[in-house]
Amino acid sequence: MAEFATVIDAATLAANLAAPGWLVIDCRFDLKDPAAGRAAWLDAHIPGAMYADLDSDLAGPVTSHSGRHPLPAVDALIATFSGLGIDGRTQVVAYDDASGAIAARAWWLLRWLGHTRAAVLDGGFAAWRSDERPVEAGAVTVAPRRFRGSVRADAVISTPEVLCALRPESDFQLVDARDPARFRGETEPLDAVAGHIPGAVNLPFAASLDAKGRWRRREELAQLWAEVRQNSRSGNWAVMCGSGVTACHLALSAVAAGIAEPRLYVGSWSEWIRDPARPVATGPG
């Protein structure tokens, strides 16, 4: 069976929707209305799709030192994936209605625990509905499976490691997925401090998508990353955003482009600014 490990189109998913070993996860979520995603899933979803909540399933409890979406405890995440019906042979397809921004977090968490048979639906729920494909309403239940996860310690980078890595003599590169106005510090709708980490470069996550919100071709993504990383071709790099969610979209973009997978700065900007002694920059970077 073919393995889909980055992005999958709606036609391919439709052709395999009833295939044994395939599982769909609905990741729709609204940061301003956390209950809206589950309500949307109950109203209409891809047939058989389970629901994963960003706050309660794809993130752990916020602490006074963490960012807004810390990683779940490993045991809790394993239990979540098991309860969703995922085991080592399952082909997972995650979707949302946010250009893959939330679905990519589910994709990344699966990879973090060693499960590479996971993909994000290109175009999300809108792409599924565009050709009048079937949907269903109401809750979905599946038989739990035994998910066996093994943490990839090299997949993440901590705040102390970022501080150390950003020394002038380092070849480390940090890429920030937030929109340019937030990166430059001109506006900040979510966090208490505006700006960016000194030395970071900006690549809004939507740059990996075309005007219709679909993923760019592999060659286009490779060119995009070549331009961003032209002064840093080493594998010593990481991605970040506001809270470690849309940064996963950049990680997916890099993998889809065929370049070295970055580490994820999970805490991202919302954790960085917890300590006012950490430096903050504004402007284009």
Side-chain angles (χ1 to χ4, degrees), residues 157 165 170-174 229 232-238 260 263:
I157 186 169
S170 173
D171 64 352
F172 176 73
Q173 184 181 42
L174 183 60
R229 306 201 66 229
S232 180
R233 298 300 179 89
S234 78
N236 184 22
W237 71 302
R263 286 180 287 173

Side-chain angles (χ1 to χ4, degrees), residues 203-209 216 218-230 250 253 257 259:
L203 179 64
F205 79 89
S208 295
L209 310 173
R216 297 187 183 278
R218 180 185 177 97
E219 316 86 73
E220 294 177 303
L221 293 174
Q223 179 59 37
L224 174 69
W225 283 110
E227 294 169 1
V228 171
R229 306 201 66 229
Q230 59 183 335
L250 286 190
S253 174
I259 65 174

Side-chain angles (χ1 to χ4, degrees), residues 8 13 23-29 40-41 44-52 92-104 106-107 119-126 128 135-136:
I8 188 171
L13 174 58
L23 181 84
V24 181
I25 302 177
D26 187 319
C27 300
R28 284 177 286 176
F29 190 84
W41 169 70
H45 54 257
I46 294 175
M50 298 291 285
Y51 183 73
V92 181
V93 178
Y95 73 89
D96 58 31
D97 57 2
S99 302
I102 312 298
W107 169 88
V120 168
L121 179 62
D122 192 9
F125 194 54
W128 181 263
V135 296
E136 64 180 12

Side-chain angles (χ1 to χ4, degrees), residues 247-258:
C248 297
H249 198 281
L250 286 190
L252 173 55
S253 174
V255 174

Side-chain angles (χ1 to χ4, degrees), residues 159 162-163 166 196-198 240 265 267-276 278-280:
T159 295
V162 171
L163 276 165
L166 285 172
H196 61 267
I197 296 176
M240 64 165 288
Y265 177 25
S268 285
W269 182 246
S270 54
E271 180 172 310
W272 183 265
I273 60 173
R274 290 283 195 180
D275 184 348
R278 294 176 189 137
V280 169

Side-chain angles (χ1 to χ4, degrees), residues 61-271:
V62 176
T63 72
S64 60
H65 301 290
S66 76
R68 286 182 281 106
H69 290 106
L71 293 181
V74 173
D75 289 348
L77 187 57
I78 288 174
T80 293
F81 288 151
S82 296
L84 289 171
I86 303 171
D87 63 20
R89 297 168 296 178
T90 306
Q91 172 65 63
V92 181
V93 178
Y95 73 89
D96 58 31
D97 57 2
S99 302
I102 312 298
R105 172 74 170 215
W107 169 88
W108 187 91
L109 287 170
L110 285 160
R111 288 179 69 87
W112 179 52
L113 294 185
H115 189 90
T116 58
R117 195 182 292 272
V120 168
L121 179 62
D122 192 9
F125 194 54
W128 181 263
R129 297 298 301 267
S130 65
D131 291 330
E132 300 183 352
R133 295 184 177 89
V135 296
E136 64 180 12
V140 178
T141 58
V142 297
R145 295 183 178 273
R146 188 171 183 180
F147 182 87
R148 299 174 184 270
S150 180
V151 171
R152 294 171 52 219
D154 63 344
V156 299
I157 186 169
S158 67
T159 295
E161 288 174 314
V162 171
L163 276 165
C164 182
L166 285 172
R167 293 174 300 180
E169 67 274 16
S170 173
D171 64 352
F172 176 73
Q173 184 181 42
L174 183 60
V175 184
D176 191 324
R178 293 176 299 160
D179 71 73
R182 287 184 71 193
F183 180 83
R184 293 191 299 263
E186 296 166 2
T187 184
E188 183 44 69
L190 297 172
D191 293 306
V193 178
H196 61 267
I197 296 176
V201 297
N202 185 216
L203 179 64
F205 79 89
S208 295
L209 310 173
D210 64 19
K212 296 181 178 180
R214 302 298 177 90
W215 281 83
R216 297 187 183 278
R217 298 191 308 272
R218 180 185 177 97
E219 316 86 73
E220 294 177 303
L221 293 174
Q223 179 59 37
L224 174 69
W225 283 110
E227 294 169 1
V228 171
R229 306 201 66 229
Q230 59 183 335
N231 296 320
S232 180
R233 298 300 179 89
S234 78
N236 184 22
W237 71 302
V239 290
M240 64 165 288
C241 56
S243 68
V245 176
T246 57
C248 297
H249 198 281
L250 286 190
L252 173 55
S253 174
V255 174
I259 65 174
E261 184 175 354
R263 286 180 287 173
L264 175 67
Y265 177 25
V266 179
S268 285
W269 182 246
S270 54
E271 180 172 310

